[in-house]
């Protein structure tokens, strides 16, 4: 196999790589593998298509939701949605391969899309990477069952559904107690003027036991990071896969160029 040659913007790429590895000197074989990766994967990000780097857990059933987002984006003309697990790997034993691949893909993607359903696993450090520069301005998060702990009132359907799920999965409540508490919850929400139907709440609750999935829970740190995105109108909580598919429409379309790119050119 012919050794890959450095691309025209090799200097910029190596700056990203050196930051990812903490400035250590790379061995010649490691550089060749990095050039092979960049020649294979980065041209898709440099093309005229709009790229969406999708983050989240690769384990089942979570990977199904990543595929759902990917499939919805694929329907849009000019979109290139991808998951890092599908790409060529860097076969290096010494280097922190994930950091290199993540940094290159995040740097050259137009948008980063994080789908979160739990607080553990590889997606946890990914959230820590994208909530600050240089990736924050191009990132959007979709946390499941997320309602802000700072909110004292049931001021959105998402808050009501989240509260209902917590009631339904409380171990020491009987079926009758769950029924009564959920009905009372919906009544209070409706009395406060919230437009929500009790049946849609039960539909969400009834959908969970099929997959044996309790409501997603997050640490205080995770909630604060989600809150930061929410303040910038780039956080979209969801409960069901159908809702997640619908919320994909909130992402920037493939047509306009991203705002972060325009700011960098100024």
């Amino acid at each position: 196999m012919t050794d890959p040659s450095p691309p025209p913007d090799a200097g910029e790429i190596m700056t990203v790589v050196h930051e990812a590895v903490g400035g250590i000197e790379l061995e010649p074989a490691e550089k060749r593998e990095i050039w092979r990766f960049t020649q294979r994967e980065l041209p898709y990000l440099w093309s005229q298509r709009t790229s969406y780097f999708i983050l989240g857990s690769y384990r089942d059933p979570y990977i199904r939701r990543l595929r759902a987002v990917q499939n919805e984006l694929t329907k849009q003309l000019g979109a290139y949605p991808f998951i890092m697990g599908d790409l060529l790997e860097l076969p290096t034993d010494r280097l922190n391969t994930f950091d290199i691949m993540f940094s290159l893909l995040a740097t050259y993607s137009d948008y980063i899309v994080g789908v979160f359903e739990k607080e553990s696993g590889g997606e946890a450090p990914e959230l820590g990477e994208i909530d600050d520069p240089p990736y924050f301005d191009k990132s959007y998060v979709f946390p499941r069952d997320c309602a802000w702990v700072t909110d004292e009132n049931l001021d959105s359907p998402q808050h009501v559904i989240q509260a209902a799920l917590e009631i339904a999965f409380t171990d020491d409540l009987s079926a009758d107690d769950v029924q009564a508490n959920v009905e009372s919850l919906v009544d209070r929400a409706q009395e406060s003027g919230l437009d929500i139907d009790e049946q849609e709440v039960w539909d969400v609750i009834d959908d969970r036991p099929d997959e044996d999935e309790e409501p997603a829970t997050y640490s205080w740190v995770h909630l604060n990071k989600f809150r930061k995105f929410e303040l910038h109108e780039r956080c979209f909580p969801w409960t069901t896969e159908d809702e997640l598919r619908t919320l994909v429409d909130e992402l920037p379309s493939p047509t306009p160029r991203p705002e972060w790119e325009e700011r960098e050119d100024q």
Side-chain angles (χ1 to χ4, degrees):
M1 180 182 298
T2 304
D3 287 340
S5 57
D9 44 3
E12 179 181 306
I13 291 174
M14 289 312 297
T15 296
V16 175
V17 172
H18 280 298
E19 289 180 358
V21 300
I24 66 171
E25 185 175 351
L26 301 180
E27 297 174 356
E30 294 168 341
K31 289 183 179 180
R32 288 195 295 270
E33 293 302 336
I34 291 171
W35 297 143
R36 185 170 288 111
F37 175 81
T38 59
Q39 289 183 355
R40 166 77 176 270
E41 305 298 350
L42 294 192
Y44 295 102
L45 310 186
W46 291 329
S47 69
Q48 292 301 308
R49 291 193 292 173
T50 301
S51 54
Y52 299 84
F53 183 12
I54 303 172
L55 311 178
S57 176
Y58 294 166
R59 291 187 296 158
D60 190 63
Y62 310 114
I63 185 63
R64 299 207 305 265
R65 261 75 80 175
L66 302 192
R67 295 299 185 199
V69 172
Q70 185 180 32
N71 290 339
E72 290 302 313
L73 286 169
T74 300
K75 297 175 183 177
Q76 302 187 43
L77 183 64
Y80 171 60
F82 68 94
I83 297 169
M84 185 165 70
D86 293 335
L87 307 185
L88 175 74
E89 281 196 49
L90 284 173
T92 62
D93 296 327
R94 186 176 74 107
L95 300 179
N96 46 326
T97 302
F98 169 84
D99 290 335
I100 297 173
M101 295 175 62
F102 179 90
S103 296
L104 288 171
L105 297 171
T107 296
Y108 293 105
S109 294
D110 293 316
Y111 300 106
I112 302 172
V113 182
V115 181
F116 300 95
E117 300 189 49
K118 54 191 176 68
E119 61 182 1
S120 61
E123 60 273 29
E126 288 175 345
L127 177 60
E129 291 285 347
I130 66 174
D131 77 318
D132 284 317
Y135 309 129
F136 177 72
D137 286 346
K138 64 169 77 174
S139 297
Y140 295 75
V141 296
F142 293 76
R144 189 174 195 178
D145 301 333
C146 186
W148 315 124
V149 293
T150 53
D151 291 343
E152 297 179 357
N153 301 315
L154 299 172
D155 58 3
S156 76
Q158 184 63 39
H159 286 86
V160 177
I161 291 173
Q162 171 66 14
L165 283 168
E166 291 175 359
I167 292 170
F169 282 87
T170 300
D171 293 335
D172 56 354
L173 289 181
S174 67
D176 289 341
D177 289 336
V178 169
Q179 177 83 27
N181 278 277
V182 170
E183 289 178 353
S184 175
L185 172 72
V186 175
D187 287 343
R188 295 199 312 272
Q190 291 173 340
E191 289 172 1
S192 67
L194 191 62
D195 183 17
I196 186 168
D197 181 71
E198 183 178 331
Q199 187 57 50
E200 71 177 288
V201 176
W202 285 114
D203 287 344
V204 173
I205 293 173
D206 293 341
D207 185 55
R208 287 304 176 94
D210 294 338
E211 298 180 4
D212 195 25
E213 296 177 50
E214 294 189 3
T217 59
Y218 304 100
S219 69
W220 179 82
V221 174
H222 285 76
L223 290 172
N224 272 265
K225 291 183 182 298
F226 293 150
R227 181 63 170 172
K228 179 178 179 180
F229 282 98
E230 193 267 348
L231 291 171
H232 289 265
E233 300 182 342
R234 285 187 273 117
C235 179
F236 304 98
W238 57 281
T239 304
T240 66
E241 184 175 313
D242 287 343
E243 186 178 6
L244 175 62
R245 288 178 179 274
T246 299
L247 285 171
V248 170
D249 288 340
E250 299 295 331
L251 290 169
S253 69
T255 305
R257 300 306 300 167
E259 293 182 4
W260 67 265
E261 181 183 86
E262 295 174 0
R263 284 199 294 273
E264 285 188 352
D265 292 340
Q266 293 177 356

